[in-house]
Amino acid sequence: MNVKEKILKNKLPLHIAIIMDGNGRWAKKKGNRRIFGHKSGVKAVKETVEAAGEIGIKYLTLYAFSTENWNRPKVEVDALMSLFISAVKNETENLIKNNVRMKAIGNLETLPNSVLENLNEIIDKTKDNTGLTLILALSYSSRQEITNAVTKITKKITSGEISIENINEEIISDHLYTNEFPDPELLIRTSGEFRISNFLLWQISYSELYFTDTLWPDFSKEDFFNAVYNFQQRERRFGKTSEQLPDKK
Ligand code: FPP
């Protein structure tokens, strides 16, 4: 039986987040420029979106560009921005056809206008779709997101809209970029690095973490299904004991 067939439909993670890493190393190994790795990474994005749709995942967040990535050489940043535009343009019809709803999180105002316009267009065109919600993290920093939330909440306290006594975890979640999405249940990172790199720090409090040595451009549907299957083998206790879990009674 292949791994896809072993996946239990009633135990799927609702939301999967992925740190797509290793494009540069993949290209270098092949004696190519880093940009070639990013271009090949687009294919892995397509495979992954398709795979998520095939098994009925509801939310998929992809870490495409961090605020720290602005510090890369200008030629690489420019190439990535062009790649985002072309990928969005080339995939619009496909996403619509497959009922995918596109969303974006991050400090989006810092993106070049051309990227932002294309992004807003696809978000608008797919807004009524009811299948997979594909969330691109662009110019994203989790610490910045949390700092932003603190600022917004403080303003509301100052204006009397909310009182200090009312602050709870829900209010904080409601002021993050991700306020309309559930927290990821599974976080995948490729390329053999064991880091979170400023990604969804608040939201992954209870996420299962899955690390694979595969470099992002090589990440296939099979790799995605392996991660989901691995997730399903784990016991998620949320601080309780094994015996307290519902299916152990
Ligand atoms: C990390 O690899 C990857 C990125 C910073 C860019 C991710 C972009 C893509 C996969 C391309 C297109 C994406 C979309 C959503 C259309 P790295 O460059 O840090 O690799 P390295 O660690 O080997 O240097």
Side-chain angles (χ1 to χ4, degrees):
M1 207 198 291
N2 69 34
V3 67
K4 185 181 174 188
E5 288 164 21
K6 288 199 271 182
I7 292 173
L8 303 169
K9 286 280 189 249
N10 60 353
K11 226 183 149 189
L12 286 172
L14 189 59
H15 183 176
I16 300 179
I18 308 184
I19 303 176
M20 311 180 287
D21 195 14
N23 293 351
R25 274 165 286 163
W26 183 89
K28 261 188 140 175
K29 260 176 47 182
K30 295 193 176 319
N32 246 306
R33 292 181 314 138
R34 296 178 53 80
I35 316 288
F36 179 64
H38 296 314
K39 283 188 181 152
S40 306
V42 178
K43 273 185 239 142
V45 169
K46 282 166 74 171
E47 286 264 305
T48 304
V49 172
E50 265 181 44
E54 279 173 26
I55 56 169
I57 300 296
K58 293 305 289 177
Y59 298 88
L60 177 69
T61 299
L62 301 178
Y63 202 5
F65 195 84
S66 70
T67 46
E68 291 79 14
N69 287 151
W70 289 114
N71 299 321
R72 291 194 174 191
K74 185 174 181 309
V75 55
E76 182 168 343
V77 171
D78 289 349
L80 276 168
M81 293 301 141
S82 302
L83 208 54
F84 296 143
I85 296 174
S86 61
V88 161
K89 275 189 177 158
N90 295 340
E91 290 309 312
T92 299
E93 288 315 312
N94 215 6
L95 295 179
I96 293 173
K97 201 174 78 196
N98 288 294
N99 200 18
V100 175
R101 182 172 70 130
M102 178 79 114
K103 289 278 181 176
I105 55 169
N107 193 1
L108 304 176
E109 309 91 80
T110 58
L111 293 168
N113 272 340
S114 48
V115 176
L116 202 52
E117 279 163 17
N118 278 286
L119 197 61
N120 284 335
E121 195 180 318
I122 194 169
I123 289 172
D124 190 55
K125 279 188 174 162
T126 61
K127 69 178 189 312
D128 297 323
N129 288 350
T130 55
L132 172 73
T133 297
L134 172 61
I135 306 150
L136 289 189
L138 285 165
S139 195
Y140 176 86
S141 149
S142 185
R143 284 187 171 191
Q144 205 173 73
E145 176 184 37
I146 294 169
T147 308
N148 245 332
V150 172
T151 308
K152 285 191 246 170
I153 294 168
T154 309
K155 279 187 182 156
K156 287 187 183 174
I157 292 172
T158 314
S159 71
E161 200 178 319
I162 49 178
S163 67
I164 291 179
E165 293 71 40
N166 289 342
I167 292 182
N168 55 24
E169 292 187 9
E170 201 183 327
I171 290 205
I172 295 176
S173 293
D174 283 349
H175 289 81
L176 298 174
Y177 301 136
T178 50
N179 54 23
E180 55 181 309
F181 315 124
D183 288 340
E185 289 169 285
L186 171 62
L187 172 75
I188 300 171
R189 181 169 189 148
T190 59
S191 90
E193 305 285 4
F194 300 97
R195 286 191 289 274
I196 301 300
S197 302
N198 207 1
F199 191 44
L200 304 175
L201 299 177
W202 173 275
Q203 298 88 336
I204 60 165
S205 295
Y206 284 102
S207 304
E208 294 296 327
L209 309 182
Y210 180 88
F211 298 99
T212 168
D213 285 338
T214 306
L215 301 174
W216 179 252
D218 286 332
F219 193 77
S220 63
K221 286 188 181 179
E222 177 91 358
D223 291 311
F224 182 80
F225 296 141
N226 272 328
V228 174
Y229 181 67
N230 180 288
F231 167 88
Q232 294 190 330
Q233 307 312 304
R234 301 188 191 183
E235 183 179 78
R236 306 185 75 209
R237 292 191 293 276
F238 301 99
K240 293 184 177 174
T241 67
S242 192
E243 293 69 30
Q244 286 176 298
L245 300 176
D247 53 350
K248 291 287 160 64
K249 276 181 191 156

